[in-house]
Amino acid sequence: MKKLEYKVDVFTGIRPSGGLHIANVIGSVNTIVTLQKKEEIGRPMVFVADLHALTDAEPKDTQKNVIEVVKDYIALGLDPKSCDIFIQSELIEEISGLNLYLSRLITVSELLRVPTLKEKIKKNMEVSNASVLLAMYPIMMASDILLQKSKFVPVGQDQQAHIEIARYLARKFNKAYGETIPVPNILTLGEPERIKSLSGDGKMSKTNPSGAILLDDPIEISLSKIKKAQTAFAGEMTDSLDSLLKIGKFVANEDEKEKIEEIVKRHMNGGNVMGEFKQVLSVAMQRYLKDFQEKKSKLSDSEIFKIVQDGGKIAKENAKETIKEVRKSMQFEYIS
Ligand code: AMP
Ligand code: TRP
């Protein structure tokens, strides 16, 4: 069997949902930022999945959100010098092409069995009002990944079934037309930390802003949410306090981390120390948010356009080469 070469070491996509909160950073953004520093894993390529956003009921302000999310990621530590960043819709021709070629290798019922779609259909829609694009979501993800000949795709648990489909489609393609596309691997990131809402109701989420630390909010608003946040009675550990501690340790410097550990010990021994903990948390959070907002405000739209243009060139070149090979394998070689 021919040995197929990978082109991109680490490849992942982010949805341009806009308005990140601290739980998004801890549960998701931070893993990509950390991966970029691990040289043994290789150079990452990150893209903003604006075409996938079209599967949302009503995508709004897509372009603004795309620019915002790139700024967020860079302000949170993604370094455009150490990775390539591009916008998915710049590759619309190549993605559409590969989507079509891959679509004949998977059945409608296989797509309807994908857990994410099944869940959506169970929760708030029916097959009769699910768009074809929504059903094609995993095929489009496979196209993103396979066009770049990606080696590792780091994703959370919720996306793993989609990567399995990309692997399945690569194998099926190679079986049908000869070895062409290297099969990508899932880079498991483990269970993401689940951070609770500060107001105690469910997980921290944009849909419940009173319990969420939104990175772009005026800092005083976030600090007042911390003041009101649920904790635990002396001597007890609750999910709320556990989440608050995770947030605290994430934004704290080394000294503050030690202090938090020491406060927790006193708390578990029955001490009344939650006020003290919130004080440390507020100081650390204030510094974290200030630093983020300052970094973000220094990034201009034109700088972002330049970054994604550079990344886009590399991604486009890779995608064009893959499409060419795919067409050759399928014996569609009318254009050279
Ligand atoms: P969402 O904005 O809900 O689409 O979430 C984007 C990503 O952020 C998800 O893939 C999760 O990994 C992460 N995330 C969202 N909410 C939380 C939370 N409350 N705790 C931890 N991670 C979260
Ligand atoms: N569907 C992913 C999410 O919701 C984003 C995404 C799109 C992606 N294409 C991808 C992730 C390819 C990894 C690889 O988070």
Side-chain angles (χ1 to χ4, degrees):
M1 213 187 322
K2 200 167 93 190
K3 178 105 179 62
L4 296 171
E5 304 247 337
Y6 292 103
K7 276 204 175 118
V8 171
D9 300 316
V10 186
F11 181 79
T12 199
I14 48 180
R15 287 177 67 104
S17 46
L20 295 181
H21 50 69
I22 194 76
N24 291 136
V25 183
I26 298 173
S28 168
V29 181
N30 193 46
T31 48
I32 299 177
V33 172
T34 314
L35 274 177
Q36 146 199 264
K37 294 183 191 135
K38 292 197 171 137
E39 274 174 16
E40 71 278 13
I41 297 189
R43 187 176 172 89
M45 180 178 259
V46 178
F47 75 100
V48 185
D50 57 348
L51 295 174
H52 278 101
L54 295 175
T55 57
D56 291 341
E58 271 181 67
K60 285 196 294 262
D61 298 327
T62 303
Q63 183 148 353
K64 185 172 149 280
N65 284 341
V66 166
I67 294 168
E68 280 292 297
V69 87
V70 178
K71 283 186 183 175
D72 284 339
Y73 271 70
I74 294 176
L76 290 169
L78 196 69
D79 179 2
K81 287 193 212 78
S82 317
C83 70
D84 301 307
I85 308 174
F86 74 99
I87 310 295
Q88 186 185 27
S89 59
E90 291 292 299
L91 267 59
I92 181 76
E93 289 88 0
E94 292 77 14
I95 293 170
S96 307
L98 192 56
N99 272 354
L100 194 141
Y101 297 140
L102 295 178
S103 295
R104 70 176 300 271
L105 303 172
I106 189 162
T107 65
V108 174
S109 66
E110 276 172 315
L111 286 177
L112 290 176
R113 278 201 300 270
V114 174
T116 41
L117 182 60
K118 238 167 89 178
E119 221 159 85
K120 267 201 170 168
I121 287 172
K122 214 162 45 187
K123 265 196 203 150
N124 47 18
M125 62 168 53
E126 293 173 33
V127 177
S128 59
N129 57 18
S131 73
V132 173
L133 190 64
L134 185 63
M136 282 181 60
Y137 195 105
I139 305 182
M140 193 149 75
M141 265 182 80
S143 295
D144 297 330
I145 297 165
L146 303 182
L147 280 171
Q148 302 302 324
K149 295 196 176 167
S150 312
K151 188 168 186 185
F152 290 112
V153 187
V155 284
Q157 205 98 56
D158 61 326
Q159 297 295 318
Q160 287 192 7
H162 295 156
I163 314 298
E164 285 300 349
I165 298 227
R167 287 164 57 79
Y168 172 71
L169 286 172
R171 287 204 191 95
K172 271 199 110 170
F173 187 95
N174 294 340
K175 195 154 177 251
Y177 306 109
E179 291 295 306
T180 312
I181 309 174
V183 180
N185 302 290
I186 301 178
L187 191 65
T188 316
L189 298 174
E191 263 312 307
E193 303 270 19
R194 194 170 180 281
I195 305 289
K196 275 195 73 147
S197 158
L198 298 193
S199 42
D201 38 359
K203 67 168 200 168
M204 187 180 288
S205 125
K206 233 184 349 195
T207 48
N208 177 14
S210 66
I213 304 277
L214 297 161
L215 303 189
D216 292 318
D217 264 358
I219 297 174
E220 317 82 73
I221 295 185
S222 296
L223 297 184
S224 77
K225 286 177 189 170
I226 290 178
K227 229 178 225 164
K228 284 185 249 153
Q230 292 207 348
T231 52
F233 290 120
E236 276 181 11
M237 184 51 71
T238 57
D239 287 348
S240 291
L241 177 56
D242 183 57
S243 280
L244 218 50
L245 288 170
K246 279 180 184 143
I247 297 174
K249 284 183 190 155
F250 184 74
V251 295
N253 61 25
E254 288 308 314
D255 277 357
E256 287 158 347
K257 266 185 213 159
E258 264 177 42
K259 217 169 189 176
I260 292 174
E261 303 243 331
E262 183 262 323
I263 292 173
V264 173
K265 269 189 204 141
R266 279 192 280 138
H267 168 78
M268 293 315 290
N269 286 330
N272 251 325
V273 290
M274 285 297 99
E276 208 181 316
F277 166 56
K278 283 189 176 180
Q279 191 62 36
V280 179
L281 175 58
S282 294
V283 171
M285 183 62 80
Q286 185 168 22
R287 186 184 56 239
Y288 181 86
L289 292 174
K290 191 162 168 272
D291 179 58
F292 166 80
Q293 292 180 2
E294 270 174 21
K295 280 191 186 141
K296 186 170 171 183
S297 70
K298 284 190 191 133
L299 295 164
S300 66
D301 287 8
S302 58
E303 206 173 329
I304 300 300
F305 281 125
K306 169 87 177 74
I307 290 168
V308 298
Q309 237 170 40
D310 290 348
K313 271 186 206 144
I314 298 169
K316 188 96 177 172
E317 200 54 44
N318 288 345
K320 275 188 168 163
E321 274 172 25
T322 306
I323 283 288
K324 207 168 166 190
E325 288 163 14
V326 160
R327 288 178 57 92
K328 188 171 176 203
S329 296
M330 295 181 78
Q331 303 189 16
F332 285 130
E333 262 200 299
Y334 313 110
I335 35 178
S336 61

